[in-house]
Amino acid sequence: MNMPASVTPPDVRTRLVEATIRLLATHGPSEVKARSVSKEAGLSTMGVYTYFGGVPELLQAVADEGFKRLVTVFERTLTTTHPISDLSNMVLACREFARSNPHLYDLMFGLSIDGRYSPSRGSTALAPEQSVAFRAIYAVLVNACMRLVDKQLVPIVDPTLIARQLWSAAHGFIMLELSGHFADVANPPAEILVPMCNNIAIGMGANTETVAAATAPVIASLQADNQAQASI
């Protein structure tokens, strides 16, 4: 299949990335192959090799697109004047993103498909910290954690360490939930995720009552949503 002359290389790259994301969503990682992606994008199979070099490089671009989308999701959660509330909403938004895009989320962190985000794939693999897209999303999280320090809600602590602890906790929760390990919990985010993040803040020196007050509306909203879904 010949590409129309009006299709520029950036358009081709975008079409291939979007096609891969659609295949991940509908068929999972096993269907992500040069031929199937090209067919989904309406392009020649050679497009994958011409514009990306191969499937691994395409998957890296798809993972980067996932991080860019998650940046947008994160930025939309920064809507209150309280850093703890915003951080709670941020981790909840990350959870929702993962639940809505489980295979893409897996790819972003190198868990289910041969992309470029798992250290176990050899020295030629790029670590997430080396990805411009990953650094952009990580910066949003670090800046949100910086507000904890700036508002003196926690002692003077490196916000990068706060961000890494929070990310580690949230990511662990998300992977366990996606794997079905919280199926017996009535409301996992309200009973596990938000309290866990609260405990991290308290462990870093935040006042227990302040943390509880900041996240009480968040937990109440989660409980109301859960009750609404149960009544359907």
Side-chain angles (χ1 to χ4, degrees):
M1 180 185 300
N2 294 324
M3 291 184 297
S6 60
V7 177
T8 62
D11 292 330
V12 174
R13 289 177 63 89
T14 298
R15 286 169 64 181
L16 289 167
V17 167
E18 294 292 340
T20 305
I21 291 174
R22 290 195 299 272
L23 285 175
L24 279 171
T26 56
H27 299 290
S30 63
E31 189 62 22
V32 178
K33 306 169 185 175
R35 184 179 298 276
S36 57
V37 169
S38 300
K39 181 179 179 180
E40 176 70 19
L43 299 166
S44 165
T45 302
M46 286 305 299
V48 171
Y49 302 98
T50 300
Y51 295 104
F52 291 97
V55 173
E57 291 79 10
L58 168 62
L59 292 175
Q60 179 180 324
V62 172
D64 284 343
E65 175 62 24
F67 286 122
K68 292 174 185 177
R69 294 183 182 188
L70 193 50
V71 164
T72 301
V73 170
F74 275 10
E75 290 176 340
R76 288 174 181 169
T77 66
L78 303 176
T79 58
T80 78
T81 59
H82 205 296
I84 293 176
S85 297
D86 280 351
L87 284 169
S88 294
N89 289 325
M90 187 177 290
V91 296
L92 289 170
C94 188
R95 169 188 180 255
E96 285 303 315
F97 179 89
R99 283 164 57 87
S100 299
N101 309 274
H103 293 303
L104 177 59
Y105 188 85
D106 277 357
L107 172 61
M108 289 160 61
F109 294 97
L111 300 172
S112 67
I113 195 168
D114 191 16
R116 288 295 189 92
Y117 288 86
S118 173
S120 65
R121 294 190 178 117
S123 59
T124 59
L126 293 175
E129 290 79 6
Q130 295 174 299
S131 162
V132 173
F134 182 90
R135 288 200 300 269
I137 190 172
Y138 193 59
V140 176
L141 179 59
V142 171
N143 288 338
C145 292
M146 176 74 78
R147 292 174 61 206
L148 291 174
V149 179
D150 291 343
K151 289 185 175 289
Q152 299 183 332
L153 293 171
V154 297
I156 302 301
V157 178
D158 182 353
T160 300
L161 295 178
I162 302 175
R164 288 179 175 175
Q165 290 189 34
L166 189 63
W167 188 294
S168 297
H171 182 64
F173 170 91
I174 289 168
M175 297 315 303
L176 287 169
E177 186 180 35
L178 289 179
S179 300
H181 292 293
F182 298 143
D184 59 338
V185 180
N187 195 338
E191 297 179 42
I192 302 173
L193 180 57
V194 174
M196 176 175 61
C197 294
N198 286 357
N199 290 338
I200 291 175
I202 294 168
M204 289 191 166
N207 178 270
T208 302
E209 289 74 19
T210 299
V211 172
T215 57
V218 177
I219 293 176
S221 178
L222 289 169
Q223 291 171 336
D225 290 344
N226 192 59
Q227 291 174 355
Q229 292 175 4
S231 64
I232 296 176

